[in-house]
Amino acid sequence: MSAFGKPAKKLLSFISGEYGMAAVLLLLCILFSALTIEEKSPEGTKGGEKLAADIIKLTKTDPTNYPDNLKIFIAANKGKIGQNFANSLKEELNNSGLKVTGQAVGDPLEVRKLLQSAGDIDLIATTSSMESLPLFDSFLDNETKIRSPRTYLWPVFLTPVNLRNITSQIAVIAILAIGMTMVIITAGIDLSVGSMIALSAVVAASIIEKMGGAAEAGTLVFLVASLAGVLVCTLSGAFTGIMVSQFSIPPFIATLAMMQVLRGIAFKIANNETISDVPASFQWLGNGLSYGIPNCVILMIILYALAHVMMNKSMLGRYIYAIGANAEASRMSGISPKKIKFTVYAICGGTAGLGGIVMASQLQSGAGNYGVTYELMVIAAVVVGGTSLFGGKGKVLGTLIGAFIIAVITNGMNLLLLGSETQMIVLGLVILIAILIERIRSGEWKNAVGG
Amino acid sequence: MKKFIKPLFTLLITIIFIGCGEKKKSRGLIGATCMNIANPFFKVIEESMRDEAAKHGYDLIYLGCEMDISKQQKQIQDFLAKGVVAVAVNPKDSKAIGTAVKECNDANVPVFSFDVRVQAPDAKVVSHVGTDNFQGGELAGEAMIKSLGEAGGKVVVIDFRAAESCIERVKGFKKVIDAYNAQRESGKIEIAAELAGDGLRDKGFKAAEDALQQVPDMRGIFAINDPSGLGAVGALEKAGKLDQVTVIAFDGMPAGKQAIKDGKIYADPVQHPDKIGRECIRAIVSHLSGEEVQPNIDIPASLYTKETADADTSLN
């Protein structure tokens, strides 16, 4: 224990230090990168050029199988990338005097039809995603060969598409977790945030549908609808705040009740249906990109920056920590715990409302069943991020890391093709392990009497 | 401290092994997501999809979104990042799934739906595989005619108007009843009331209680699924009228089949999830082979009666 224990304890304290969970996040990223290394191949113009170079080289090194008068057919997937692939491949091959007898860019059905009418073919040049399709089976024999660009190894986890997926997928939970962090630092809890997602999404979607001229609604309507959604949730949060601060109802009970009430209201507003008469442009916030970054991620980063400054530089932030650490002592020193609690629950409502708007935008619709059990995911993100459920301790940026740990694990498991049941078990265990590390580091487990 | 480190490492290594297992070359990966993995119906679909995909040399990932449409969207996004050759989706929400399907359309990955349709404008699905609910409703109608016999009488429909599939079932039922009535002078079957059961047991119970008040002389109930049908059975038992009223439900869930065996429900048109899964994979393979695929692949329902139940070894 002693020889091994010291460095181990040092490592553990680093891992769960101030932002030490970042190390865990990094480790997870490295782990999933290593596990998702797969054969990738160049796409589009670059893929076409690479394949052309390969084929030209083969005609020189292996002229018996690949003679100069080879009849080449180019097949590529539908869409711009496929078109670029075909174009560059054809250009390069023509430049070096090789003959392209036919070309098909499209669905398997279209490619097959064009192939059938192409006559005699010696070589099918295609993308690597198409190469293994059964489409070509009946055309391949000793005479006809197939080639695609050479593959290289690259982790799927680290592709730009996947990194965008991870960040935009966690945006909703991460935004909700901002308000939740503050609530938990005051030693409270808010179980109603999942229902607020639905409420906000439904309010916004129905305003767009009913008052904004449905599919023709413009930016101004979106803005008004979104603000309305956030406002409704802020007011709901404020109401909870009054219940908790003025009437000292335990937050667990007050927010449990609100969770039911708000979910019911959301279903009522939506009339038990999905409000989907919303224009596609409403997706800008949830699914749109600016400079290659999802807009909802930009919103998330801005909100975290604001919250970080608020918690560390403002009086309000200090008071939040103070009443969480010792409400009685802070009341004695002239801070009003009631006002602070009220404010914190209102903020939590506001961030939940914003999260709901993001979700409505991602799904281009609103329904009463959005965000069911999200409160638990949000609380998990906060706790994994190092905030103590007993109040007084925690960091907003830690929560962001906590949210990302959850997102990376979920995404990584999808990429590893783990089934839903396994995913539930692993996610639960990881949350448990994260909290276990925190307990061990703080040493509180030694003094615990149990229970 | 060693105590904690060891299990941690064991877990890590296990994950690595799961990840690294089976790296053989396949035709490609098919990504499927259903609304709820806990429902046996979708488990049967998974098994038949897995068998069929393996037969054709494809890998399959089959996930459940646990009734969370946002989670389903994420699963489809992850499928795209993974580079699947096709997506099979059983939408939790026909409309809200639209954005995810459109993402697949943009990435030129073909989408197939099973059991529930995608109903979002501009979202393109190659083909839909599902139970022929209209034909299932017809079977229910024929069974009702057979049960009521020459006397005919009043029947009540317990429906669920929010679900397209259930509306189709009622349409099929009515078509058969109407055609039957048109040929007859007497002994017609009259649909006396259509009550909302929401496809739920407690709502089905209440609807049947209301029906007993409104139509005291009713002779039959058609409930659009097993839970609402079992609810109706409960209400009839309570009123002591189960022997006078024929209940026909839909689905063939284990509890429904048991009720048929016990003589509480007369018959169920049953769905065939195994065929749905198999035909869905076949449609995908055909599409990827460059063959023409029907936009609608209907899997016929079949009638499950007391005789079928008596021969069913899964019941006791």
Side-chain angles (χ1 to χ4, degrees):
Chain A
M1 186 78 189
S2 58
F4 182 68
K6 253 190 183 171
K9 191 158 187 179
K10 235 179 174 176
L11 180 77
L12 278 173
S13 71
F14 168 70
I15 288 176
S16 64
E18 197 161 7
Y19 296 119
M21 275 295 161
V24 174
L25 180 60
L26 192 68
L27 274 174
L28 280 170
C29 290
I30 294 169
L31 177 73
F32 283 124
S33 301
L35 290 180
T36 58
I37 291 177
E38 282 184 13
E39 289 183 0
K40 279 261 149 195
S41 68
E43 290 179 319
T45 310
K46 208 172 171 195
E49 285 166 1
K50 288 256 191 238
L51 181 56
D54 276 356
I55 294 174
I56 293 163
K57 202 173 154 198
L58 278 171
T59 56
K60 294 193 174 112
T61 55
D62 187 8
T64 42
N65 283 323
Y66 296 90
D68 278 344
N69 59 356
L70 201 64
K71 291 189 205 90
I72 303 171
F73 187 93
I74 298 175
N77 317 51
K78 198 166 88 180
K80 206 174 140 205
I81 295 171
Q83 192 66 54
N84 288 342
F85 171 85
N87 290 347
S88 68
L89 178 58
K90 190 172 179 180
E91 199 185 313
E92 295 280 319
L93 290 175
N94 281 339
N95 284 348
S96 64
L98 288 169
K99 207 166 121 199
V100 176
T101 53
Q103 179 181 334
V105 180
D107 281 340
L109 182 65
E110 297 166 77
V111 173
R112 187 190 180 86
K113 279 184 180 159
L114 285 167
L115 256 172
Q116 270 163 344
S117 58
D120 210 19
I121 297 163
D122 299 315
L123 178 70
I124 299 171
T126 186
T127 59
S128 56
S129 61
M130 273 184 111
E131 192 188 2
S132 58
L133 293 189
L135 163 68
F136 300 114
D137 287 4
S138 57
F139 296 97
L140 299 177
D141 50 38
N142 287 335
E143 310 282 295
T144 312
K145 298 178 199 65
I146 188 162
R147 286 206 82 85
S148 66
R150 253 183 294 166
T151 55
Y152 56 93
L153 292 176
W154 186 259
V156 178
F157 182 82
L158 286 183
T159 51
V161 178
N162 195 52
L163 295 177
R164 271 206 292 271
N165 277 355
I166 295 174
T167 50
S168 64
Q169 285 171 3
I170 200 58
V172 173
I173 284 178
I175 289 172
L176 263 73
I178 295 174
M180 185 68 83
T181 309
M182 297 177 190
V183 168
I184 292 182
I185 289 176
T186 67
I189 195 103
D190 190 344
L191 299 176
S192 66
V193 291
S195 302
M196 285 190 192
I197 292 180
L199 183 61
S200 161
V202 162
V203 165
S206 61
I207 287 179
I208 293 171
E209 186 181 69
K210 296 211 176 74
M211 295 165 208
E216 279 91 46
T219 316
L220 187 67
V221 179
F222 295 161
L223 210 61
V224 171
S226 305
L227 283 177
V230 175
L231 188 68
V232 168
C233 290
T234 311
L235 292 176
S236 313
F239 180 77
T240 316
I242 293 172
M243 292 296 124
V244 171
S245 60
Q246 298 298 324
F247 300 100
S248 341
I249 301 176
F252 189 90
I253 301 299
T255 59
L256 186 68
M258 286 303 279
M259 170 171 123
Q260 295 293 325
V261 172
L262 299 177
R263 175 77 59 199
I265 294 175
F267 273 118
K268 265 218 176 321
I269 295 173
N271 206 5
N272 257 343
E273 282 170 14
T274 302
I275 305 171
S276 64
D277 209 358
V278 172
S281 46
F282 184 56
Q283 283 186 60
W284 180 84
L285 178 64
N287 296 332
L289 300 175
S290 300
Y291 310 105
I293 304 169
N295 294 327
C296 56
V297 176
I298 297 175
L299 173 69
M300 177 188 87
I301 293 168
I302 294 172
L303 289 174
Y304 268 92
L306 288 176
H308 179 74
V309 172
M310 192 196 106
M311 291 304 279
N312 289 293
K313 306 281 176 212
S314 76
M315 287 307 262
L316 178 61
R318 263 168 240 169
Y319 290 169
I320 290 173
Y321 281 111
I323 69 163
N326 193 333
E328 195 51 30
S330 46
R331 198 183 58 80
M332 298 285 198
S333 56
I335 305 169
S336 162
K338 285 185 179 178
K339 266 191 205 157
I340 304 292
K341 279 191 181 167
F342 169 81
T343 315
V344 161
Y345 282 93
I347 292 175
C348 189
T351 54
L354 265 173
I357 299 296
V358 172
M359 188 180 282
S361 168
Q362 284 179 340
L363 294 166
Q364 206 193 321
S365 56
N369 56 15
Y370 285 5
V372 175
T373 71
Y374 271 50
E375 56 278 350
L376 301 180
M377 253 342 169
V378 172
I379 294 168
V382 174
V383 174
V384 169
T387 297
S388 163
L389 279 174
F390 303 104
K393 268 189 288 184
K395 296 264 186 240
V396 176
L397 294 187
T399 298
L400 184 61
I401 293 165
F404 265 92
I405 287 178
I406 291 174
V408 162
I409 292 169
T410 323
N411 170 272
M413 289 192 297
N414 276 348
L415 296 184
L416 292 178
L417 312 184
L418 297 188
S420 292
E421 303 92 334
T422 321
Q423 294 202 6
M424 291 180 203
I425 298 169
V426 175
L427 192 59
L429 285 179
V430 168
I431 292 172
L432 203 58
I433 290 169
I435 297 165
L436 198 63
I437 291 175
E438 162 66 24
R439 293 271 93 181
I440 293 168
R441 189 193 64 95
S442 64
E444 282 171 53
W445 62 289
K446 281 182 197 153
N447 313 326
V449 199
Chain B
M1 199 49 60
K2 267 182 197 162
K3 271 188 224 156
F4 295 99
I5 300 286
K6 230 176 156 182
L8 255 175
F9 267 104
T10 324
L11 182 79
L12 266 181
I13 288 165
T14 322
I15 294 176
I16 290 172
F17 268 106
I18 297 169
C20 291
E22 296 188 54
K23 276 263 161 78
K24 64 171 191 279
K25 183 84 183 163
S26 83
R27 288 270 187 198
L29 176 69
I30 296 170
T33 158
C34 71
M35 61 174 85
N36 188 6
I37 201 99
N39 184 336
F41 182 81
F42 294 112
K43 206 67 202 167
V44 175
I45 291 184
E46 171 178 8
E47 278 154 24
S48 65
M49 277 191 167
R50 215 167 270 296
D51 290 347
E52 194 66 19
K55 212 182 281 173
H56 296 278
Y58 291 86
D59 289 328
L60 175 78
I61 176 169
Y62 188 96
L63 300 173
C65 72
E66 276 61 72
M67 307 307 264
D68 177 357
I69 180 65
S70 176
K71 189 168 173 185
Q72 193 161 44
Q73 181 189 35
K74 291 170 192 169
Q75 288 169 342
I76 292 176
Q77 287 171 341
D78 288 345
F79 289 164
L80 292 179
K82 181 78 183 168
V84 294
V85 291
V87 169
V89 61
N90 161 240
K92 156 69 188 78
D93 184 319
S94 296
K95 292 169 179 167
I97 199 65
T99 54
V101 175
K102 270 183 252 172
E103 265 185 73
C104 296
N105 294 155
D106 290 343
N108 291 301
V109 172
V111 180
F112 297 76
S113 59
F114 60 96
D115 181 48
V116 177
R117 279 171 202 283
V118 174
Q119 285 169 326
D122 322 321
K124 285 194 279 299
V125 171
V126 178
S127 106
H128 171 77
V129 185
T131 300
D132 190 343
N133 286 297
F134 188 84
Q135 175 260 355
E138 289 177 329
L139 289 179
E142 285 158 12
M144 186 63 85
I145 291 167
K146 194 178 162 202
S147 168
L148 297 191
E150 282 303 308
K154 289 178 182 170
V155 298
V156 170
V157 174
I158 298 180
D159 63 11
F160 181 24
R161 275 170 224 170
E164 187 65 33
S165 55
C166 298
I167 296 172
E168 286 294 307
R169 291 170 192 178
V170 174
K171 276 188 193 162
F173 181 79
K174 284 183 179 167
K175 186 197 151 200
V176 169
I177 300 289
D178 288 347
Y180 175 76
N181 288 341
Q183 303 163 7
R184 297 181 68 92
E185 286 298 313
S186 65
K188 294 189 181 191
I189 295 175
E190 184 200 338
I191 298 175
E194 290 180 55
L195 303 168
D198 291 0
L200 300 172
R201 195 158 179 150
D202 55 338
K203 292 274 174 67
F205 184 91
K206 284 186 196 126
E209 283 201 319
D210 292 348
L212 283 164
Q213 298 301 318
Q214 283 177 36
V215 195
D217 55 341
M218 73 171 162
R219 293 199 60 217
I221 288 179
F222 171 47
I224 47 68
N225 71 358
D226 273 340
S228 52
L230 290 165
V233 166
L236 291 170
E237 276 182 325
K238 191 181 159 200
K241 284 199 167 178
L242 188 57
D243 50 340
Q244 298 157 34
V245 180
T246 299
V247 179
I248 292 173
F250 208 110
D251 277 347
M253 282 165 37
K257 288 180 174 173
Q258 190 62 49
I260 291 172
K261 182 157 189 180
D262 299 343
K264 293 178 178 173
I265 293 179
Y266 179 74
D268 256 21
V270 294
Q271 309 199 54
H272 295 284
D274 54 330
K275 287 184 192 158
I276 294 177
R278 200 179 317 133
E279 289 303 321
C280 186
I281 296 293
R282 283 187 186 161
I284 291 172
V285 173
S286 300
H287 174 81
L288 294 177
S289 308
E291 288 159 19
E292 204 113 32
V293 180
Q294 292 297 324
N296 285 302
I297 300 170
D298 285 330
I299 309 295
S302 60
L303 199 67
Y304 190 96
T305 59
K306 182 94 167 72
E307 289 87 76
T308 336
D310 287 337
D312 193 337
T313 50
S314 68
L315 302 175
N316 49 42

